[in-house]
Amino acid sequence: MSKLVTIYGGSGFVGRYIARRMAKEGWRVRVAVRRPNEAMFVKPYGVPGQVEPVLCNIRNDASVAAVMQGADAVVNCVGILNEVGKNTFDAVQTEGAERIARIAAEQGITNMVHVSAIGADADGASEYARTKAAGETAVLKHQPNAVILRPSIIFGAEDQFFNRFAGMTRLSPLLPIAHADTKFQPVYVDDVAKAAVAALTGKAAAGVYELGGPEVKSFGALMQQMLDVINRRRLVVSLPGPIAKLVALGFDLLQFVSFQLIENKMLTRDQLKNLKLDNVVSADAKEFEDLGIRPVTAGSVLPDYLWKFRPAGQYDDIMDSARNLRNDL
């Protein structure tokens, strides 16, 4: 364990998978997070002392520099979907990314992976897309040999996509969504981690990689696939544009009037702008194939963690078998 990697946001959805894989590669892993006490679950990813959560605020130069001391490589996985308090899109996704890249350059570190997103666009309609693009530009300014990963919608056991909508099916016979025709290319979180590890271990050339799974499906089709997995019948309703805007405005207002005590985790007006655009890999982009990685399908993974949303949970298959047996008798 002679090499050390600092992963900013290393206890998050994507970061924890990168941390686990880097530990398996024999690296020491420093997991830089705002609340180390809530990230203790990363310690068993390696032998005692190999993976350690440390306190870091990416809005502060000294904090970022302190957890980077002695590192051979850095990874930035920090990103947000909604602005809360001082964690604005610009502060986190532009200034935070720039700060990590700049300080890494000052410390002589040239091995950097930056996790961005498909849809990053300097001229994009949403603040999310514009700040993601600005963050990429800032990273490449200080780290011209960086590897930038742009995943499509990411799924996995801890995701906030399929889990959120599956949870909604417990409460309503309807499943309302916005822009049901928008296309996605869902990518498994561990495949994204494999791409990051390939870059960190020198198996990937510098540049931007767009990461999507083997299937392209519409938002509505993904919801139907999720319903099939959890054995529930719900009517998927595509909200008309004006209604979707009112819903997003309502949730944003609820966050505002509650002084951000109630965070909008459902649908923001900024997210609604993103949903208008397809989220798929560009025709001329470098992708998984260039990394020697074969991504898995959503259908092969979803049953492993969505079973808890079935009417009878893990016993659903047994009950189906019992019903079929009674019908045969």
Short mmCIF file of all heavy atoms in Angstrom, two decimals, residues 11 19 72 82 86 103-104 108 114 119 137 139 170 194 228 317 324:
data_model
loop_
_atom_site.label_atom_id
_atom_site.label_comp_id
_atom_site.label_asym_id
_atom_site.label_seq_id
_atom_site.Cartn_x
_atom_site.Cartn_y
_atom_site.Cartn_z
N SER A 11 -17.70 9.21 0.32
CA SER A 11 -18.73 8.40 0.99
C SER A 11 -20.07 8.52 0.27
O SER A 11 -21.06 7.92 0.69
CB SER A 11 -18.91 8.84 2.45
OG SER A 11 -19.43 10.17 2.51
N ALA A 19 -13.96 4.17 -3.82
CA ALA A 19 -13.13 3.90 -2.65
C ALA A 19 -12.94 2.40 -2.45
O ALA A 19 -11.82 1.93 -2.18
CB ALA A 19 -13.78 4.51 -1.41
N ASP A 72 -1.07 10.67 -4.11
CA ASP A 72 -0.55 10.42 -5.45
C ASP A 72 -1.60 10.71 -6.52
O ASP A 72 -1.26 10.90 -7.69
CB ASP A 72 -0.10 8.96 -5.58
CG ASP A 72 1.02 8.62 -4.62
OD1 ASP A 72 2.17 8.98 -4.90
OD2 ASP A 72 0.73 7.99 -3.57
N ASN A 82 -29.61 19.98 -6.01
CA ASN A 82 -30.44 21.06 -5.50
C ASN A 82 -29.61 21.94 -4.59
O ASN A 82 -28.78 21.45 -3.81
CB ASN A 82 -31.64 20.47 -4.73
CG ASN A 82 -32.57 21.53 -4.20
OD1 ASN A 82 -32.73 22.58 -4.80
ND2 ASN A 82 -33.19 21.26 -3.07
N LYS A 86 -25.27 27.34 1.70
CA LYS A 86 -24.07 27.79 1.01
C LYS A 86 -23.64 26.83 -0.10
O LYS A 86 -22.76 27.16 -0.90
CB LYS A 86 -22.93 27.98 2.00
CG LYS A 86 -23.16 29.09 3.02
CD LYS A 86 -21.98 29.22 3.96
CE LYS A 86 -22.21 30.33 4.98
NZ LYS A 86 -21.06 30.46 5.92
N ILE A 103 -5.28 23.17 -6.36
CA ILE A 103 -4.44 22.79 -5.22
C ILE A 103 -3.66 21.51 -5.54
O ILE A 103 -2.50 21.35 -5.13
CB ILE A 103 -5.28 22.66 -3.95
CG1 ILE A 103 -5.82 24.04 -3.55
CG2 ILE A 103 -4.49 22.03 -2.81
CD1 ILE A 103 -6.78 24.03 -2.38
N ALA A 104 -4.26 20.61 -6.29
CA ALA A 104 -3.55 19.40 -6.70
C ALA A 104 -2.34 19.77 -7.56
O ALA A 104 -1.24 19.22 -7.38
CB ALA A 104 -4.48 18.47 -7.48
N GLY A 108 1.81 19.31 -6.92
CA GLY A 108 2.53 18.45 -7.85
C GLY A 108 1.81 17.18 -8.23
O GLY A 108 2.40 16.24 -8.77
N HIS A 114 -12.21 13.51 -12.49
CA HIS A 114 -13.31 14.41 -12.14
C HIS A 114 -14.61 13.82 -12.66
O HIS A 114 -14.74 13.54 -13.86
CB HIS A 114 -13.08 15.79 -12.74
CG HIS A 114 -14.22 16.74 -12.55
ND1 HIS A 114 -14.60 17.21 -11.32
CD2 HIS A 114 -15.07 17.31 -13.44
CE1 HIS A 114 -15.62 18.04 -11.45
NE2 HIS A 114 -15.94 18.11 -12.73
N GLY A 119 -24.63 15.99 -20.35
CA GLY A 119 -25.50 17.16 -20.32
C GLY A 119 -24.80 18.41 -19.84
O GLY A 119 -25.37 19.51 -19.90
N THR A 137 -14.18 22.82 -17.32
CA THR A 137 -13.22 23.78 -17.89
C THR A 137 -12.17 24.16 -16.86
O THR A 137 -10.97 24.24 -17.17
CB THR A 137 -13.96 25.03 -18.38
OG1 THR A 137 -14.91 24.66 -19.38
CG2 THR A 137 -12.99 26.04 -18.97
N VAL A 139 -11.20 22.42 -14.23
CA VAL A 139 -10.34 21.28 -13.95
C VAL A 139 -9.26 21.15 -15.02
O VAL A 139 -8.07 20.99 -14.73
CB VAL A 139 -11.17 19.98 -13.85
CG1 VAL A 139 -10.26 18.74 -13.90
CG2 VAL A 139 -11.99 19.97 -12.57
N ARG A 170 -45.83 3.02 -3.25
CA ARG A 170 -46.48 2.54 -2.03
C ARG A 170 -47.61 3.47 -1.59
O ARG A 170 -48.44 3.10 -0.76
CB ARG A 170 -45.46 2.43 -0.90
CG ARG A 170 -44.44 1.33 -1.06
CD ARG A 170 -43.35 1.47 -0.01
NE ARG A 170 -42.51 0.28 0.08
CZ ARG A 170 -41.40 0.20 0.79
NH1 ARG A 170 -41.00 1.26 1.49
NH2 ARG A 170 -40.70 -0.91 0.82
N LYS A 194 -15.40 1.46 -11.98
CA LYS A 194 -14.38 0.77 -12.77
C LYS A 194 -13.67 1.75 -13.71
O LYS A 194 -12.45 1.67 -13.90
CB LYS A 194 -15.00 -0.36 -13.58
CG LYS A 194 -15.46 -1.56 -12.77
CD LYS A 194 -16.10 -2.60 -13.68
CE LYS A 194 -16.64 -3.78 -12.91
NZ LYS A 194 -17.30 -4.76 -13.80
N ASP A 228 -42.38 -3.43 -13.26
CA ASP A 228 -42.34 -4.87 -13.53
C ASP A 228 -41.47 -5.59 -12.50
O ASP A 228 -41.79 -6.70 -12.06
CB ASP A 228 -41.81 -5.14 -14.94
CG ASP A 228 -42.75 -4.68 -16.03
OD1 ASP A 228 -43.96 -4.49 -15.72
OD2 ASP A 228 -42.30 -4.48 -17.17
N ASP A 317 -41.88 -13.68 -4.45
CA ASP A 317 -41.75 -14.80 -5.38
C ASP A 317 -42.36 -16.07 -4.80
O ASP A 317 -42.98 -16.86 -5.53
CB ASP A 317 -40.28 -15.03 -5.72
CG ASP A 317 -39.71 -13.93 -6.61
OD1 ASP A 317 -40.50 -13.25 -7.27
OD2 ASP A 317 -38.47 -13.76 -6.62
N ASN A 324 -49.72 -19.84 -7.95
CA ASN A 324 -49.70 -20.65 -9.17
C ASN A 324 -49.97 -22.11 -8.87
O ASN A 324 -50.63 -22.82 -9.65
CB ASN A 324 -48.34 -20.49 -9.87
CG ASN A 324 -48.13 -19.12 -10.45
OD1 ASN A 324 -49.09 -18.41 -10.74
ND2 ASN A 324 -46.88 -18.73 -10.57
#
